[in-house]
Amino acid sequence: MAALYIILTASVIAISCGLLGSFLILRKMALVGDAISHAVLPGIVLAFLISGSRDNIPMLIGAAVLGVITTLIIEMLQKKAGMQEDASIGITFTWLFALGVILITSYTGQVDLDQECVLYGEIAYVPLDTFNLSNGLSLGPRALWISGSVLLLIIAFILKGYKGLVLTTFNKDYAASIGISTAFWQLAFMSLVSLTTVVSFESVGAILVVALLVAPPAAAYLLSQNLKKMLWLSTLFGILTAVGGYYLALVLDGSIAGAMATFAGVLFAGAWGWSKLTSKHSGTIPVTDKKNISTFF
Amino acid sequence: MDIRPDCPAIEVHNLTASYNRKPVLWDVDFALPQGKLVGIVGPNGSGKTTLLRNMMGLMKPDSGYVNLFGKSLDEVREKVSYVPQRETVDWDFPASVMDVVEMGRYRKGNLFKRLSKQDKILCTEALEKVGLLDLAKRQISQLSGGQQQRVFLARSLAQQADLYLMDEPFVGVDAATEESILALLTQMKSEGKTVVIVHHDLQTAYEYFDWIVLLNTRLVASGEKEKVFTPQLLQEAYGGRLTVLSRIGDLMAKQDFPLREKEFKEAKGTGDGKTY
Amino acid sequence: MEKLIEFISFSNPNVRFVTLGTMFIGMSAATVGCFAFLRKRALVGDAIAHAILPGIALAFMLTQSKSPWVLMGGALVAGWLAMFLIEAITKNSKLKPDTAIGLILSVFFGLGILMLTSIQHSGAGNQAGLDQFLFGKAAAITPSDLKIYIAVGLVLLALIFLFFKEFKLLSFNPDFASILGLPVKRLRFVLSSITVLAIATGIQAVGVVLMAALLITPAVAARAWTSSLKILLIIAGLFGAFSGLVGSYISFTAPQMPTGPWIVMSLSAIAIFSILFSPQRGLVAKIFRQRQNRQKILTENILKALYHLGENQKSQQNYFSKKQLLNHRKFDAAELNKGLKILAKKLWLIERETGYKLSQTGLPEAQRIVRLHRLWEMYLSERMRLKADHIHPNAETIEHIISPEIEHQLLHELDYPELDPHQKPIPY
Ligand SMILES: Nc1ncnc2c1ncn2[C@@H]1O[C@H](COP(=O)(O)OP(=O)(O)O)[C@@H](O)[C@H]1O
Ligand SMILES: [Mg+2]
């Protein structure tokens, strides 16, 4: 039963991350997502300190607001102080993360979080913290309920806002030219990303949530010609990651979250190889000449 | 040279626009006629894209304003279609040709609804007009440059607008496609549409357009092509920048100088009317 | 206070190691980080820092040794592999750099965590100490660690000194560098290697997550103070070292406090201070400059208005009241008072019961403004073909900004005109 709960919770989180991550990488904001996942830490610690528990929903939302503020700070540093994008992301999240760690160590007694948990979560403990009715009947892990609700929210948002989300992702200027507020869509989307990272935090930690946000969508992106397929594939890869990661961790007797990230990387490698193999035959025309892109220092 | 048409499709009033306080358009002021093929012509970096972005409200000018059909953009938005430069989007986006064309039918009002049958018909027709119907299901990354340009054109046609603003639609397009696009534009003109095209190639500009705006950070000329295409005006547009102008622009950026004093910024039109 | 003295006196050898160690680490990372910053690779640095983890774990698994040399070796290999993979993915797939960076960062890190936890659980060897790479172990720096940090720091500085010109070109103008025939590929290899080296040492002070700050934040802060690369490197290095000092001092006085996050906090504080208060590029200086501009515009407008009024009455000796000034031009009444006060202080105008007139020193100033205004109008109408009814608002701003050199150029280009486009005389 515990195994099932862990896999179920991990899958739900992975699907949420995969769906949002698909748009995140298409918006070229993968690293902003990375920054958010770190920057919510002080918010989570404060939420803890104020509410005394980690599952208080208003407090989770409060922590998520900090993630949204992070995106605004990053944007402001670029616009007002003329800072380049990479540096503005880099200094913002490290500063907030450092603040979070300092808060944790200052209030060790009051906060049931430790540094390891921050980095890679404690999904193995998820089944222990259950949601109980007043007559003592257990309804399953609390984390599953919370991340399940967030997943439903995300699905509803994508179904209802599909056109706006796609249009502002693909061609921002055009969207603005027909009178659509790109700022609104950006804000709504980043709020969901932020909420998801907060909710996933205790299960998979700050860095491995990035693996779930990026790896399954990246693999799906390489294999898809259209966005709907990409979203479905991200979902599928998310579930595979959860299942594969769990058993990999079992075999190696290591961290489940770490194993999930590793497994997601393996899936990506497979997808990359597969796309290389198949593109040789279909003769696609490469549009972007990437020969000159270099990411070396 | 600034010839004023009777019933203008676009009036640009005293438009000054800048990036990081450095002006790239200085007091541009002209009007364009309806039902014509208009070329906005100037060398690279002369502010053509910036001008179009200002017309579409995509950036805030430092001073001045633009009227479309005598009204502000918000009142006539559904009659105006904007075609951005092809390089501004990522063509690796997982979407089919039809997906992109359908965006032409998106409106503020139907953003949360499904497209109607009528919408879909319009999209199919638009694709047929640009000759891409057989590629409707193809992923956009697998198109050639000319085909991508035609996808944008089809999306624009699907918008069913009266005024079209297109940024460099002939860039990266082979000769045959260029001809077919031009034929299409001519046909649109004959249907009474106004088509404004940003173009940097002097060789073909005279042949393609009825009306030409010569731009180089400032307005050099606006009028019927016969009157605008004089050696002197062309020399002025293509013969380099005005050094005083660019030096002042640099100074403004460096000293954080405002481009307009407050009192002139709010006033729509030509300032307070006093002349000294 | 006692603590501070004890800290400064360096009498405690432990304090000495920790402080010197973090200072050296901070300095090396900050100096090398300037190039990463200029080449816009801040987040590649972040990814490398995370990716080093599995390298360290693997090195330990293979050798069962915790010698800093062995672990550094593993770190370097993993860092290089990560950098290579990021570039390979970006070039050979449609993924964009941000995705490739995020992917490698998180997957490598996950792999590292998996390996570390697996080692831990299997009880294979005494792994305690490996997780110090996660959070940094500044508080536990030993003399042999210190030797490594100093050696690495000196090597980095020597290489930067040696290749300064080449790295500079690589950072500011890589295309030009290859045109000049520089071995760009090899140079990038050297630069990348020393960056990975700096990261591999740096994570021992602040841990993998915060490493990006050690690399980038000093450069961001230093950039606010200078535009010269040499000075940038020096200032950034000093900021890096200083933060190391602050971090170790804080964890010395409050031992439960983590050193790494405090180093990052002090770096961030320096950066925020620099962004706000540096004299050239700082936001406060900018706001101050804008206020000065507004004041200049206001006073010059008043001078001009007085000149116009005098010109209309054909005498600059008459006095004009505030009311007349307000009628002439839509000044804000409070602003007008403020401007008049400033001008009176400068003795550029003379005040009487009945009003104001330009003084002998104020008149040439007023003439200058009017001259610039009318010259600019000439320029607009002659060179920019603006129509007479459009040129005025533009000239209203530009007159305040034209420098003497530009005025000279204008006069020269327009050939010293007598009258402006409205047929008003241009005062010389
Ligand atoms: N986003 C931007 N930020 C700063 N400068 C810009 C930006 N976009 C354009 N510019 C500058 O503005 C000038 C005009 O650009 P643009 O309008 O794109 O010219 P054109 O379309 O005629 O080639 C150029 O000098 C360009 O460098
Ligand atoms: Mg352009």
Side-chain angles (χ1 to χ4, degrees):
Chain A
M1 203 59 194
L4 182 67
Y5 277 146
I6 291 174
I7 291 177
L8 217 52
T9 310
S11 302
V12 167
I13 290 174
I15 295 170
S16 300
C17 289
L19 292 174
L20 292 177
S22 298
F23 287 99
L24 207 58
I25 70 172
L26 290 174
R27 285 175 168 258
K28 306 183 178 55
M29 292 183 77
L31 293 170
V32 180
D34 177 37
I36 289 181
S37 71
H38 290 70
V40 292
L41 180 60
I44 291 173
V45 180
L46 287 178
F48 247 86
L49 287 175
I50 297 171
S51 72
S53 105
R54 59 173 109 190
D55 300 331
N56 184 313
I57 293 197
M59 295 320 298
L60 288 182
I61 291 173
V65 169
L66 189 68
V68 178
I69 292 174
T70 307
T71 62
L72 299 181
I73 295 178
I74 291 172
E75 215 179 289
M76 204 182 69
L77 282 176
Q78 291 175 45
K79 289 207 173 127
K80 294 276 180 237
M83 202 182 287
Q84 63 204 42
E85 188 190 7
D86 64 324
S88 64
I89 294 177
I91 74 167
T92 309
F93 87 80
T94 49
W95 175 71
L96 285 164
F97 190 82
L99 180 66
V101 176
I102 289 173
L103 283 175
I104 290 180
T105 38
S106 310
Y107 296 97
T108 332
Q110 286 127 287
V111 183
D112 177 23
L113 261 178
D114 56 30
Q115 294 193 351
E116 274 89 0
C117 167
V118 165
L119 290 181
Y120 50 91
E122 292 172 333
I123 203 167
Y125 301 144
V126 157
L128 304 182
D129 180 15
T130 54
F131 191 53
N132 296 324
L133 289 182
S134 50
N135 60 11
L137 188 67
S138 163
L139 292 178
R142 200 182 285 272
L144 182 57
W145 280 97
I146 293 178
S147 47
S149 324
V150 172
L151 176 59
L152 287 182
L153 187 66
I154 290 169
I155 291 174
F157 177 74
I158 291 179
L159 283 181
K160 199 72 192 144
Y162 188 78
K163 281 161 73 184
L165 207 49
V166 171
L167 191 60
T168 52
T169 305
F170 174 62
N171 198 344
K172 223 165 131 183
D173 275 358
Y174 178 81
S177 86
I178 61 173
I180 290 169
S181 162
T182 53
F184 164 79
W185 286 96
Q186 171 88 343
L187 197 67
F189 175 67
M190 292 323 281
S191 306
L192 275 183
V193 172
S194 189
L195 186 62
T196 307
T197 55
V198 171
V199 167
S200 319
F201 205 91
E202 65 169 312
S203 305
V204 294
I207 297 165
L208 298 175
V209 72
V210 181
L212 296 181
L213 278 171
V214 176
Y221 178 57
L222 293 183
L223 302 179
S224 321
Q225 270 80 52
N226 66 63
L227 183 55
K228 291 204 174 95
K229 184 171 167 198
M230 180 172 164
L231 293 172
W232 279 115
L233 274 181
S234 292
T235 306
L236 176 68
F237 290 154
I239 297 171
L240 285 179
T241 298
V243 178
Y246 179 79
Y247 287 104
L248 184 63
L250 217 58
V251 171
L252 296 178
D253 189 18
S255 146
I256 296 175
M260 280 168 57
T262 309
F263 197 80
V266 173
L267 278 179
F268 172 80
W272 190 22
W274 179 258
S275 75
K276 283 276 133 206
L277 280 180
T278 49
S279 73
K280 285 242 166 64
H281 305 293
S282 67
T284 56
I285 307 162
V287 196
T288 38
D289 179 20
K290 292 177 143 189
K291 291 230 169 55
N292 292 322
I293 296 180
S294 166
T295 50
F296 276 43
F297 287 106
Chain B
M1 177 78 48
D2 178 12
I3 297 169
R4 297 280 160 164
D6 293 334
C7 198
I10 303 181
E11 298 157 80
V12 176
H13 288 272
N14 245 339
L15 190 80
T16 298
S18 62
Y19 295 106
N20 310 319
R21 285 184 184 273
K22 190 173 154 71
V24 297
L25 286 177
W26 284 89
D27 275 87
V28 173
D29 198 286
F30 64 90
L32 299 177
Q34 294 193 15
K36 291 263 156 61
L37 261 179
V38 179
I40 295 180
V41 181
N44 271 333
S46 58
K48 305 181 296 293
T49 299
T50 309
L51 178 61
L52 231 53
R53 287 174 56 83
N54 274 286
M55 288 178 175
M56 287 313 300
L58 299 177
M59 60 188 274
K60 236 181 122 191
D62 295 293
S63 77
Y65 61 103
V66 177
N67 275 351
L68 306 171
F69 301 115
K71 302 204 172 101
S72 75
L73 174 66
D74 275 321
E75 293 172 90
V76 291
R77 213 182 267 282
E78 307 225 330
K79 287 194 192 163
V80 186
S81 164
Y82 170 60
V83 182
Q85 256 165 292
R86 185 166 58 93
E87 314 88 83
T88 57
V89 306
D90 171 15
W91 290 90
D92 286 334
F93 195 88
S96 70
V97 168
M98 188 52 110
D99 290 338
V100 176
V101 177
E102 282 180 358
M103 290 176 191
R105 297 307 304 161
Y106 289 10
R107 296 282 181 272
K108 239 175 149 174
N110 73 1
L111 205 57
F112 296 99
K113 299 193 195 104
R114 285 173 172 276
L115 288 181
S116 70
K117 191 138 192 206
Q118 176 64 19
D119 287 330
K120 303 235 166 174
I121 294 173
L122 286 171
C123 294
T124 314
E125 282 176 2
L127 264 183
E128 189 174 27
K129 275 191 195 150
V130 301
L132 282 182
L133 208 47
D134 51 334
L135 299 182
K137 295 257 163 2
R138 171 96 39 115
Q139 204 216 332
I140 53 174
S141 69
Q142 298 172 4
L143 303 175
S144 69
Q147 288 168 334
Q148 288 173 353
Q149 200 70 69
R150 273 145 69 195
V151 173
F152 261 11
L153 209 59
R155 177 176 75 178
S156 178
L157 288 176
Q159 276 186 280
Q160 301 269 299
D162 294 331
L163 170 62
Y164 294 83
L165 303 175
M166 306 187 179
D167 203 342
E168 308 263 18
F170 296 118
V171 164
V173 165
D174 61 82
T177 313
E178 182 150 348
E179 205 144 296
S180 69
I181 292 181
L182 191 68
L184 194 66
L185 298 178
T186 315
Q187 192 204 331
M188 287 160 71
K189 180 179 82 172
S190 68
E191 290 165 9
K193 317 266 188 197
T194 309
V195 186
V196 178
I197 287 173
V198 163
H199 197 65
H200 71 264
D201 181 20
L202 259 186
Q203 310 299 326
T204 47
Y206 188 81
E207 185 188 333
Y208 290 177
F209 306 119
D210 308 319
W211 186 286
I212 286 178
V213 174
L214 280 179
L215 192 75
N216 190 349
T217 22
R218 79 246 183 232
L219 181 77
V220 175
S222 163
E224 287 95 359
K225 63 176 171 187
E226 297 81 10
K227 301 195 177 137
V228 167
F229 252 59
T230 65
Q232 192 218 342
L233 288 174
L234 290 177
Q235 162 66 23
E236 215 174 288
Y238 278 78
R241 302 280 164 84
L242 295 178
T243 52
V244 173
L245 213 54
S246 41
R247 282 179 67 184
I248 290 184
D250 289 339
L251 260 184
M252 287 177 123
K254 215 169 107 202
Q255 304 189 351
D256 297 305
F257 227 82
L259 275 155
R260 269 291 181 276
E261 293 171 36
K262 236 184 6 229
E263 49 196 308
F264 293 105
K265 212 164 174 174
E266 267 92 52
K268 280 208 161 186
T270 54
D272 59 1
K274 280 194 218 149
T275 49
Y276 281 102
Chain C
M1 200 61 219
E2 238 168 75
K3 282 251 170 191
L4 183 63
I5 291 167
E6 189 186 346
F7 181 75
I8 293 175
S9 70
F10 256 28
S11 54
N12 181 335
N14 215 4
V15 175
R16 205 153 57 217
F17 298 139
V18 172
T19 313
L20 280 179
T22 47
M23 284 176 74
F24 250 91
I25 287 177
M27 186 203 58
S28 334
T31 321
V32 176
C34 286
F35 294 104
F37 167 73
L38 291 171
R39 286 170 60 73
K40 302 197 167 48
R41 306 287 200 277
L43 297 168
V44 181
D46 187 34
I48 307 283
H50 287 75
I52 279 174
L53 199 57
I56 292 170
L58 192 67
F60 173 74
M61 277 162 93
L62 292 179
T63 64
Q64 293 296 317
S65 147
K66 274 191 304 175
S67 137
W69 295 105
V70 171
L71 299 185
M72 281 279 272
L76 281 180
V77 172
W80 253 108
L81 180 67
M83 193 156 52
F84 172 78
L85 273 178
I86 290 174
E87 175 141 318
I89 290 173
T90 320
K91 278 195 176 165
N92 296 307
S93 80
K94 54 182 182 176
L95 290 183
K96 310 298 175 285
D98 70 312
T99 310
I101 292 172
L103 181 79
I104 292 301
L105 180 156
S106 56
V107 169
F108 267 61
F109 183 79
L111 181 63
I113 294 289
L114 178 62
M115 289 163 87
L116 282 186
T117 45
S118 179
I119 299 171
Q120 200 168 15
H121 295 161
S122 71
N126 169 18
Q127 58 75 48
L130 282 186
D131 60 353
Q132 62 198 205
F133 288 95
L134 280 177
F135 312 110
K137 57 151 186 178
I141 291 176
T142 62
S144 67
D145 292 330
L146 184 61
K147 268 184 218 141
I148 292 191
Y149 300 157
I150 293 178
V152 168
L154 292 179
V155 168
L156 294 182
L157 288 187
L159 281 171
I160 290 176
F161 188 75
L162 216 62
F163 291 112
F164 179 76
K165 267 209 191 99
E166 286 82 357
F167 287 170
K168 182 175 177 177
L169 211 54
L170 205 57
S171 307
F172 288 108
N173 206 340
D175 296 334
F176 188 58
S178 52
I179 290 170
L180 282 187
L182 287 179
V184 171
K185 272 212 175 117
R186 251 174 295 163
L187 283 172
R188 270 183 21 196
F189 178 82
V190 176
L191 187 56
S192 298
S193 300
I194 64 175
T195 315
V196 176
L197 193 62
I199 294 172
T201 15
I203 58 171
Q204 307 185 36
V206 295
V208 296
V209 184
L210 295 176
M211 185 55 218
L214 219 52
L215 210 56
I216 291 304
T217 314
V220 170
R223 184 69 187 88
W225 301 94
T226 179
S227 302
S228 133
L229 177 60
K230 242 179 236 157
I231 300 176
L232 185 79
L233 292 174
I234 294 171
I235 299 183
L238 288 177
F239 284 164
F242 178 72
S243 303
L245 189 73
V246 172
S248 18
Y249 175 66
I250 289 176
S251 60
F252 172 68
T253 47
Q256 84 284 2
M257 278 296 168
T259 319
W262 275 110
I263 294 178
V264 173
M265 284 305 265
S266 73
L267 273 180
S268 307
I270 294 174
I272 292 170
F273 178 84
S274 305
I275 291 168
L276 287 179
F277 297 110
S278 79
Q280 275 301 312
R281 302 163 59 102
L283 290 180
V284 172
K286 204 167 172 171
I287 291 168
F288 185 71
R289 259 200 312 275
Q290 282 166 3
R291 242 190 56 189
Q292 276 194 329
N293 285 338
R294 271 204 304 279
Q295 202 176 78
K296 180 168 148 74
I297 291 172
L298 172 68
T299 52
E300 292 186 349
N301 281 341
I302 297 174
L303 289 176
K304 197 172 53 160
L306 280 171
Y307 185 88
H308 286 151
L309 289 169
E311 192 178 44
N312 289 347
Q313 299 193 356
K314 306 221 161 23
S315 160
Q316 295 294 352
Q317 298 308 319
N318 298 353
Y319 285 78
F320 300 98
S321 68
K322 272 184 205 163
K323 205 166 157 209
Q324 280 170 300
L325 279 168
L326 284 168
N327 276 339
H328 176 78
R329 189 188 169 106
K330 282 180 254 160
F331 287 110
D332 176 86
E335 291 269 293
L336 178 63
N337 281 334
K338 198 176 100 193
L340 285 169
K341 244 184 228 142
I342 296 169
L343 286 169
K345 224 184 199 163
K346 282 190 176 174
L347 302 179
W348 282 359
L349 44 75
I350 294 172
E351 185 178 356
R352 252 198 208 165
E353 297 285 284
T354 50
Y356 304 84
K357 86 168 184 116
L358 292 166
S359 73
Q360 222 169 27
T361 44
L363 184 61
E365 273 305 308
Q367 275 179 336
R368 187 181 65 85
I369 311 298
V370 175
R371 180 169 70 243
L372 291 179
H373 183 100
R374 292 180 180 166
L375 273 176
W376 185 245
E377 289 195 338
M378 275 312 277
Y379 187 79
L380 290 179
S381 107
E382 296 234 321
R383 291 302 151 96
M384 287 172 66
R385 306 170 176 290
L386 289 189
K387 282 180 304 257
D389 58 336
H390 283 157
I391 54 191
H392 178 64
N394 187 311
E396 276 292 339
T397 330
I398 304 301
E399 68 197 15
H400 303 295
I401 200 171
I402 293 177
S403 62
E405 301 91 66
I406 296 180
E407 179 185 354
H408 193 77
Q409 194 180 352
L410 271 177
L411 281 171
H412 188 74
E413 277 195 28
L414 296 169
D415 200 17
Y416 299 87
E418 297 275 315
L419 296 175
D420 80 352
H422 308 293
Q423 306 308 317
K424 295 264 182 183
I426 297 177
Y428 289 102

